[in-house]
Amino acid sequence: MAERQEGKNSIQVIERMMALLDALSESPDAVSLKQLAQTTGLHPSTAHRILAAMTGSRFVERHDPGTYRLGIRLLELGNLVKSRLNLREVAQPYMQSLHEQVGESVNLGIRHDDEIIYIERTSSGRSLIRVVYLVGGRAPLHLTSAGKLFLAEDGPQKVKEYAKRTGLPGKTPHSLTSLPALEKELDWIRRHGVSFDNEEAEAGLKCVAVPVRDDEGNLVAGLSVSAPTDRHNADWIDMLRTTADEISHALGYTKPRK
């Protein structure tokens, strides 16, 4: 009985510690003990006692007298977690969930020089596997929805350099093979945060992609859904955005406050 009560008390302390850490994380400035107690619903003496213990472990730092902020130990642990994160492993469960919702192939692509490389894919099982979307498959950036996200991120000057370097080769009659046409589409992507491949990499196949970002806000991957043209559905965009946001959040990304 005593052990059960001790375990219950330990869990309660951990829950209170987490509540205090969450409250501290919501403020860019140091927070007073009074404010922390009000936010968490803890008695000031209880909050003070727990904060003192966390200060001793460097999870929390005392700033001015009576105010607190997150401590350097959290940064150390965060960097350790970041170094061990694997984008593919993080994304897999979210991609599988999206796949179950849309019933089509979900792809994760990263940039390597002037190409997109697909590092993960869920197969729809409803059509022949497309060569472009095999794991490890490559394609020019300007021919894929995920690749266009990276070009849009580059900015106009780097896009011109890309066009000059590659010559903008096409694969289908729908491929964007001129710089003005590509620039127009990339400008649209920058404004809307979503990209399309309208049978540009492969005839009969459409794709839509949104960005995945890391803890520093950098574009690290494009998350896309691909399907034959007759099965493509514009309603996927919201689900795709939600999934990409979940993956980005798991990588440590926090959306800027508006």
Side-chain angles (χ1 to χ4, degrees), residues 14-35:
I14 292 171
E15 290 173 343
R16 290 171 173 177
M17 287 175 61
M18 295 307 300
L20 287 165
L21 289 174
D22 286 341
L24 287 167
S25 70
E26 292 173 0
S27 175
D29 303 315
V31 187
S32 69
L33 174 62
K34 181 180 179 180
Q35 185 177 342

Side-chain angles (χ1 to χ4, degrees), residues 9 30 46 130-131 137 141-142 149 155 157 159 222 232 241 251:
N9 291 339
T46 301
R130 309 287 178 161
V131 174
L141 295 174
H142 69 288
L149 292 172
Q157 182 55 40
V159 171
H232 195 269
R241 286 189 196 276
L251 292 172

